[in-house]
Amino acid sequence: LKALEAKLRSQGWNATLLTETLAWHREDKLKMRLDWRDPKKGLASSVMSGHPDVQTDEEKHVLVRAMDLGKFLDAVRELMPPEGLLIAKMDIEGAEYEVLPSLVGSGVLCRTVDYLLMEWHPQVVEG
């Protein structure tokens, strides 16, 4: 991933790839529950215990840094020219139910993002 980041930067893109970091509604350290099908690939790893593809055993997780997505979006928008479009893709394996209300409630989503593409994980929500 570092090589990809370097290649993108060499072509004029302002790219930063955040590995071992997940999008959340506050700064934190969270348990990333691993995909039971193949934990080494992390196909559907999630911080949401209700995700159907993750292991629920307490020892089947890794501790990862959670970043405040709202602060990140504010920082990205600040770096952009006023006429720039911010297009965000959110595929955060069920955590959208925690993150999106925070982005909307704080006004960050409307203030920073011009287009939002999302993948919803309804199977994560109980009831």
Side-chain angles (χ1 to χ4, degrees):
L1 288 174
K2 291 295 180 189
L4 174 59
E5 183 178 286
K7 179 74 171 171
L8 290 170
R9 286 177 175 253
S10 74
Q11 295 178 2
W13 290 85
N14 185 5
T16 303
L17 302 179
L18 302 172
T19 60
E20 299 180 17
T21 304
L22 60 88
W24 197 238
H25 53 90
R26 66 178 183 275
E27 301 291 326
D28 209 341
K29 293 261 188 200
L30 297 174
K31 291 178 183 178
M32 175 69 79
R33 291 166 176 84
L34 303 176
D35 188 309
W36 61 268
R37 296 168 295 182
D38 190 346
K40 291 185 181 181
K41 290 184 182 173
L43 297 171
S45 297
S46 177
V47 295
M48 307 305 290
S49 60
H51 194 293
D53 297 328
V54 298
Q55 301 179 51
T56 55
D57 301 345
E58 277 302 306
E59 68 274 2
K60 305 290 184 180
H61 70 269
V62 292
L63 199 60
V64 295
R65 175 181 166 249
M67 67 172 207
D68 184 323
L69 185 57
K71 287 181 182 177
F72 178 78
L73 290 171
D74 273 334
V76 169
R77 178 51 87 181
E78 255 183 55
L79 296 172
M80 295 175 60
E83 69 280 0
L85 287 177
L86 179 55
I87 301 170
K89 179 182 183 291
M90 186 182 297
D91 180 3
I92 54 178
E93 297 303 322
E96 62 270 16
Y97 295 99
E98 295 285 333
V99 174
L100 196 57
S102 174
L103 294 177
V104 171
S106 67
V108 170
L109 188 64
C110 294
R111 182 173 66 243
T112 62
V113 176
D114 297 294
Y115 296 97
L116 176 64
L117 309 166
M118 287 192 64
E119 180 181 3
W120 290 96
H121 299 82
Q123 71 277 20
V124 175
V125 179
E126 293 181 15

